[in-house]
Amino acid sequence: MDKVISSVDEAIADIPDGAVIAIPGFFTCGVPRALLQALIRKGTKNLTLACGCGPLLGAAEEMRALVKNRQVKKVIDSYALYRSATKGMQDPFEQAVRAGEIELEVYPMGTMAEKYRAAGAGIPAFYTPTGVGSVVEETVVTNIEANRAPKETRIINGRKYILEYALKPDYAFVHALIGDREGNLRYAKTARNFNHVMATAARVTIAEVENLVEIGELDGDDVHTPGVYVHRVVKVERPRFAITID
Amino acid sequence: MAKKLKGLSRELIALRVANELEDGTYVNLGIGIPTLISDWIAGRDIILQSEIGMLKTGPLATGDEVDQDLINASCQAVTALPGSCYFDIVESFAMIRGGHIDVAVMGALQINDRGDYAGWSNPARGLFVGNIGGSMDLCAGARKLFIAMEHTTREGEYKIVKKLTYPATAIGKVNKLFTDLAVIDITPQGMVLREVAPGLTPEDVQSVTEPRLIISPDVREMAL
């Protein structure tokens, strides 16, 4: 099998308006920057960007462009806002959230991780203790009041748990250090973060890789994401990030 | 009340927490004062877990050590140590939620005498949404939860309150509170004042604390 596509633009060419796309990365680390840039060039609208921990703060330039082009309908994340309230007030994304033009739905980070894991593993929902006693237990936490649906809870062995649902994106963009032609992937250090689990969750996973190798060159013991989860592989230059979200 | 007492620097609050951590434990440090604790535990037998997906997080990276693929959960470039390992986010939160982390140290905006605390959303920002990050998972799963924070706001208003007015991160989970002015245990009876900063009396600490403190019979000056 050969899953290699020659350019990021070609790799995302079929993404329709309204798609739900998983964006991994933990702030500036492990973000699929080249695929995000292709998405800006393509101009796809009404997107839902399903994140985990602030990749759009890490790829701030790309996020500003996506917001400016009015491509984003909704963001799902655990940490999507600038820490500084002053900086947040000047941020076009936060301004759009305040105006209700973009929806921001938030969950605890471990719940985000498990929502993708469940989707990839064929589990429709799960009970978690995380968030019990907070507003996360009472309702879906979103800036759009009409979408604040109540959550179910259940006592199991004397402890309270919240029912949370799997999140199955249409596409996942992932960033790997090495990929082979069949889509086996290996990540670098803490850049792994949400990449693997998002690859398992999406209907179509597109991997941008810094190093493309031939089949057999990536040792089976070194594979972090088995190729079965990866549908398209595209070689990119190593992105450059200033390590800050302030 | 609007009163500000002079106490420890943020670095010394971090040192006081570091002295409380036991060797042989796995510890997760939150954003703010807690991240400063890592400066005080070099050479100790304490393993830091970073929720981004790393065990045995090393000191902050400088110069040529900086690697954009190696950061901590506060978005700072860090180094690895012999025996450091990496894993994905599902594994990281299984570790946290599953009760494998001995101590989590977090910052807070408000805390009450029942061990409830607020830290994920500041209502002054005027948004229903906020940054939860890994805080609620750590509260749900860490065996012990410590809070390290300034005793009052910059304006001298209470942060240790009778009733939270900010949205709660967790209910009844905090075991111990470290501030620039005091070390306080959260017990079923309420807040027990164990230590005061050099030069302060228990009455001084009470004057900037809204709930009534139980003064420990052996209350003493903070050991630094």
Side-chain angles (χ1 to χ4, degrees):
Chain A
M1 243 180 261
D2 191 342
K3 300 175 182 173
V4 175
I5 309 271
S6 58
S7 73
V8 282
D9 297 282
E10 208 182 316
I12 67 154
D14 67 335
I15 298 182
D17 288 353
V20 179
I21 308 176
I23 309 294
F26 197 115
F27 299 138
T28 58
C29 196
V31 185
R33 198 162 202 174
L35 286 165
L36 282 172
Q37 288 163 359
L39 199 60
I40 296 164
R41 287 192 292 274
K42 180 164 150 56
T44 319
K45 305 277 191 215
N46 281 322
L47 295 168
T48 293
L49 302 178
C51 308
C53 187
L56 304 172
L57 292 174
E61 250 170 71
E62 286 77 6
M63 187 52 178
R64 273 195 295 273
L66 287 164
V67 172
K68 184 164 168 257
N69 300 348
R70 299 184 165 273
Q71 290 179 258
V72 183
K73 180 180 76 178
K74 178 174 177 176
V75 170
I76 310 172
D77 203 348
S78 78
Y79 201 117
L81 302 167
Y82 283 101
R83 210 178 311 172
S84 147
T86 322
K87 181 135 193 209
M89 293 300 279
Q90 296 152 4
D91 172 40
F93 169 66
E94 186 171 318
Q95 288 166 359
V97 168
R98 286 178 182 279
E101 292 160 7
I102 295 180
E103 178 170 13
L104 173 60
E105 189 174 297
V106 301
Y107 295 89
M109 202 189 314
T111 299
M112 289 301 308
E114 205 60 15
K115 284 166 85 71
Y116 297 116
R117 194 201 71 83
I123 307 285
F126 55 93
Y127 282 101
T128 176
T130 300
V132 168
S134 77
V135 68
V136 168
E137 174 190 332
E138 293 162 26
T139 171
V140 172
V141 180
T142 159
N143 60 319
I144 305 296
E145 214 172 329
N147 295 345
R148 286 180 204 158
K151 288 186 187 168
E152 289 178 50
T153 61
R154 182 165 169 177
I155 310 283
I156 301 173
N157 293 330
R159 188 173 177 188
K160 195 183 216 183
Y161 297 88
I162 305 171
L163 183 68
E164 297 281 11
Y165 291 89
L167 200 177
K168 191 158 186 65
D170 300 313
Y171 294 83
F173 290 175
V174 305
H175 182 91
L177 177 67
I178 307 172
D180 72 17
R181 290 186 169 272
E182 285 183 335
N184 293 307
L185 303 179
R186 181 177 172 82
Y187 308 101
K189 299 172 185 163
T190 55
R192 197 181 322 181
N193 58 70
F194 279 89
N195 277 282
H196 168 73
V197 76
M198 286 178 172
T200 71
R203 289 182 179 84
V204 177
T205 293
I206 307 168
E208 54 166 65
V209 301
E210 294 180 25
N211 301 280
L212 177 63
V213 299
E214 296 303 319
I215 293 161
E217 284 186 53
L218 187 53
D219 190 280
D221 271 338
D222 291 339
V223 171
H224 294 148
T225 298
V228 68
Y229 297 117
V230 179
H231 306 90
R232 300 170 196 168
V233 178
V234 58
K235 162 87 175 79
V236 297
E237 289 305 306
R238 181 170 168 80
R240 293 230 164 265
F241 284 95
I243 306 174
T244 177
I245 47 161
D246 291 323
Chain B
M1 78 124 223
K3 184 170 168 184
K4 193 87 186 144
L5 294 174
K6 178 96 187 89
L8 305 184
S9 63
R10 291 161 62 86
E11 287 73 19
L12 288 181
I13 301 173
L15 170 60
R16 179 61 193 86
V17 182
N19 291 345
E20 193 74 17
L21 299 173
E22 290 173 34
D23 280 348
T25 55
Y26 289 87
V27 176
N28 181 295
L29 303 176
I31 287 178
I33 294 171
T35 51
L36 303 172
I37 295 168
S38 60
D39 295 338
W40 298 106
I41 60 168
R44 299 265 318 267
D45 187 20
I46 292 170
I47 292 184
L48 295 180
Q49 195 256 16
S50 183
E51 60 262 44
I52 189 170
M54 182 177 190
L55 269 179
K56 216 166 175 180
T57 306
L60 294 185
T62 54
D64 288 349
E65 293 171 335
V66 173
D67 175 353
Q68 68 180 18
D69 293 331
L70 183 48
I71 68 168
N72 66 15
S74 301
C75 202
Q76 296 169 305
V78 292
T79 53
L81 295 167
S84 291
C85 67
Y86 310 106
F87 34 86
D88 93 311
I89 205 77
V90 171
E91 183 87 49
S92 183
F93 279 88
M95 242 172 242
I96 289 170
R97 218 189 298 102
H100 307 279
I101 302 301
D102 296 298
V103 184
V105 190
M106 318 280 284
L109 297 169
Q110 282 185 334
I111 178 169
N112 69 18
D113 59 355
R114 289 177 299 283
D116 311 340
Y117 94 94
W120 72 277
S121 171
N122 185 342
R125 209 157 161 173
L127 285 165
F128 184 74
V129 289
N131 290 331
I132 300 173
S135 61
M136 292 185 188
D137 295 284
L138 284 156
C139 291
R143 294 195 191 141
K144 273 191 200 164
L145 178 61
F146 293 170
I147 295 290
M149 66 175 206
E150 309 280 356
H151 204 96
T152 60
T153 67
R154 205 168 301 166
E155 294 73 35
E157 301 296 328
Y158 292 130
K159 288 181 73 177
I160 307 173
V161 294
K162 288 180 178 165
K163 193 173 183 315
L164 300 184
T165 54
Y166 289 12
T169 304
I171 298 296
K173 293 285 186 184
V174 182
N175 301 100
K176 215 169 172 97
L177 169 63
F178 301 82
T179 76
D180 49 332
L181 308 182
V183 177
I184 294 169
D185 281 345
I186 317 285
T187 73
Q189 288 71 43
M191 287 184 152
V192 177
L193 180 63
R194 296 280 181 203
E195 298 176 23
V196 296
L200 296 183
T201 64
E203 294 68 34
D204 292 331
V205 174
Q206 180 65 74
S207 72
V208 288
T209 308
E210 193 183 22
R212 177 60 43 194
L213 293 169
I214 301 164
I215 315 293
S216 166
D218 54 358
V219 66
R220 58 188 172 83
E221 192 168 284
M222 267 189 225
L224 294 169

